[in-house]
Amino acid sequence: MPVLVSDTLLSQTASRWAAMLAQSGILSHRGADGSSALNRYRALGGTEAHVGEILGAGPSLGDIEKGWMKSSEHRALALEESWTHAGWGSAAAGSSVVAVMVFCQKLVDGLTITLGENGLSVGGIFVTDKAARGLLFSGLDAFSPVQWDPRSRRFRFEVPGPSVEGYLRLGYVTPSGGFALTNAFTLPRETEFPAGPARSAAPAPSP
């Protein structure tokens, strides 16, 4: 299994949710507004398409970790080989502690998203050799990269302005012709993500 890289934004996402859970006394992956770990991560500026979360409560972090490893569902998610980055957070809840871990798969290195007077520029490097070429969707409109190096898989997209708004999806086309989503974001960045509210609402009671 590849070594996971610690990620500040994932840890911030996990820490905020751990504090919310400890305050409410409820263990839930879902906010009262329907928000998920993916929504909470993107609300803080994350763009990765694949995000996972595990959480738990117990007398100590060691006890929580042992509980995760004894649970086939938690263990499978934590040890999923596609994860590249992880973050964690904890908060005291009386005599117990609440712990949250958030994982993601980063398939783009050095991602830049720049919005200027002439439009939007998106650049970076696909880290997977499965990327035959890049593709960017702005709403229903598809854009090919204005710069593409097939050896390094470095790309740059330009979406003309003067204003670019809405839901954008970045990904790559595989050698067989399929499309793999790597990143998604909204413009302006403060707007809500289409999949659900972007804020971290209080957790909803477990069904």
Side-chain angles (χ1 to χ4, degrees):
M1 178 179 176
V3 177
L4 293 175
V5 177
S6 177
D7 183 87
T8 301
L9 193 60
L10 291 172
S11 289
Q12 187 178 357
T13 305
S15 294
R16 288 191 177 192
W17 193 237
M20 184 78 78
L21 296 174
Q23 182 180 17
S24 68
I26 297 172
L27 284 181
S28 177
H29 294 283
R30 179 172 55 86
D33 59 355
S35 59
S36 65
L38 179 64
N39 300 137
R40 295 187 284 273
Y41 172 61
R42 287 186 172 159
L44 295 178
T47 66
E48 272 63 43
H50 189 27
V51 172
E53 176 186 75
I54 57 175
L55 52 85
S60 70
L61 293 175
D63 289 310
I64 295 172
E65 184 179 3
K66 289 178 182 177
W68 286 339
M69 291 300 100
K70 290 181 180 179
S71 164
S72 58
E73 183 178 355
H74 289 79
R75 182 182 177 87
L77 191 147
L79 300 181
E80 185 175 319
E81 293 188 358
S82 64
W83 302 134
T84 60
H85 292 69
W88 74 280
S90 62
S95 59
S96 298
V97 61
V98 175
V100 177
M101 284 199 71
V102 183
F103 307 86
C104 81
Q105 181 185 36
K106 290 194 177 185
L107 295 174
V108 176
D109 189 26
L111 178 66
T112 60
I113 302 171
T114 306
L115 186 61
E117 294 181 357
N118 297 323
L120 174 71
S121 177
V122 179
I125 300 174
F126 291 115
V127 300
T128 173
D129 57 8
K130 297 178 181 178
R133 63 183 177 90
L135 202 58
L136 177 69
F137 289 92
S138 177
L140 297 177
D141 297 324
F143 292 85
S144 295
V146 296
Q147 293 182 1
W148 172 251
D149 182 350
R151 295 186 63 183
S152 66
R153 299 180 294 277
R154 181 181 294 275
F155 62 83
R156 182 169 63 85
F157 292 90
E158 298 288 347
V159 180
S163 63
V164 181
E165 295 182 349
Y167 178 42
L168 292 97
R169 293 165 292 152
L170 171 66
Y172 60 85
V173 178
T174 65
S176 62
F179 177 74
L181 180 67
T182 61
N183 302 79
F185 55 95
T186 54
L187 291 175
R189 296 299 295 274
E190 293 80 12
T191 56
E192 292 187 351
F193 187 73
R199 64 187 181 278
S200 275
S206 300

